[in-house]
Amino acid sequence: MKIIFPTYELTYTCDRIAASFIVTLNGIERNIPNNLFLAVFPRIDRRNRIASVEASAAELEALSVIADISDPLSSLITYELSERHGRNFVVTHMSSGQQLVCLPGAFRKIAGVSQRAVSGTAGLSAAKLADIGFIIEGGNTNDRNYQYANYA
């Protein structure tokens, strides 16, 4: 008996200047370093600049984990204490451009920033981004964040 595994046709573009492959995962265009992409898909023809490869669910999951680790902007935020917003923090997610206002105590507790910090940048995990209130495509498993997004 032969088992058939479902596959997905993944289209990629090789960016030789940046030494990366450009793929779209969960609707977001991501850059994957050459060596990591080739580790997941060693069977591709390296001469093609634009092509497709059949990817299993496990390969797609591995690729999305690699993308999250290798993309420094995926978890980077900037924050600033704003007088205009009632002395609350204005927090911006760098890769998605989302911006929100967060209470100082809650933001400092979740992000782990100093009590004296009034502005700066930080790298946060997807779970902490969700706790702050950002909606990350393919990354939020917290349904309460989606509930607030429907009313915004």
Side-chain angles (χ1 to χ4, degrees), residues 3 7 9 14 24 43 72 76 101 107 112 129 134-136 138-139 143:
I3 298 175
T7 59
E9 182 100 8
C14 180
T24 302
R43 63 188 177 275
L76 192 63
V101 177
F107 175 74
L129 288 172
F134 288 110
I135 299 172
I136 310 301
D143 289 335

Side-chain angles (χ1 to χ4, degrees), residues 38-57:
L38 293 172
V40 176
F41 300 107
R43 63 188 177 275
I44 67 168
D45 185 358
R46 298 176 189 190
R47 294 173 292 183
N48 294 339
R49 187 176 160 333
I50 300 173
S52 297
V53 63
E54 291 289 324
S56 68

Side-chain angles (χ1 to χ4, degrees), residues 16 58 63-64 106 118 127 132 143 150:
R16 292 187 176 106
L63 203 59
S64 66
V118 293
I132 290 174
D143 289 335
N150 291 334

Side-chain angles (χ1 to χ4, degrees), residues 32-140:
I32 311 292
N34 278 353
N35 56 347
L36 297 176
F37 188 84
L38 293 172
V40 176
F41 300 107
R43 63 188 177 275
I44 67 168
D45 185 358
R46 298 176 189 190
R47 294 173 292 183
N48 294 339
R49 187 176 160 333
I50 300 173
S52 297
V53 63
E54 291 289 324
S56 68
E59 289 170 329
L60 287 176
E61 184 177 351
L63 203 59
S64 66
V65 169
I66 289 169
D68 289 340
I69 293 170
S70 64
D71 185 5
L73 291 180
S74 67
S75 64
L76 192 63
I77 62 164
T78 61
Y79 57 91
E80 180 178 6
L81 198 60
S82 173
E83 292 290 333
R84 199 173 119 219
H85 293 93
R87 298 217 26 95
N88 292 316
F89 277 102
V90 175
V91 186
T92 305
H93 185 247
M94 296 301 290
S95 66
S96 69
Q98 294 179 55
Q99 194 172 51
L100 52 88
V101 177
C102 190
L103 295 171
F107 175 74
R108 288 182 175 127
K109 183 176 181 180
I110 294 168
V113 299
S114 169
Q115 293 293 327
R116 297 182 299 177
V118 293
S119 67
T121 61
L124 301 178
S125 67
K128 286 189 178 188
L129 288 172
D131 286 344
I132 290 174
F134 288 110
I135 299 172
I136 310 301
E137 288 186 40
N140 278 7

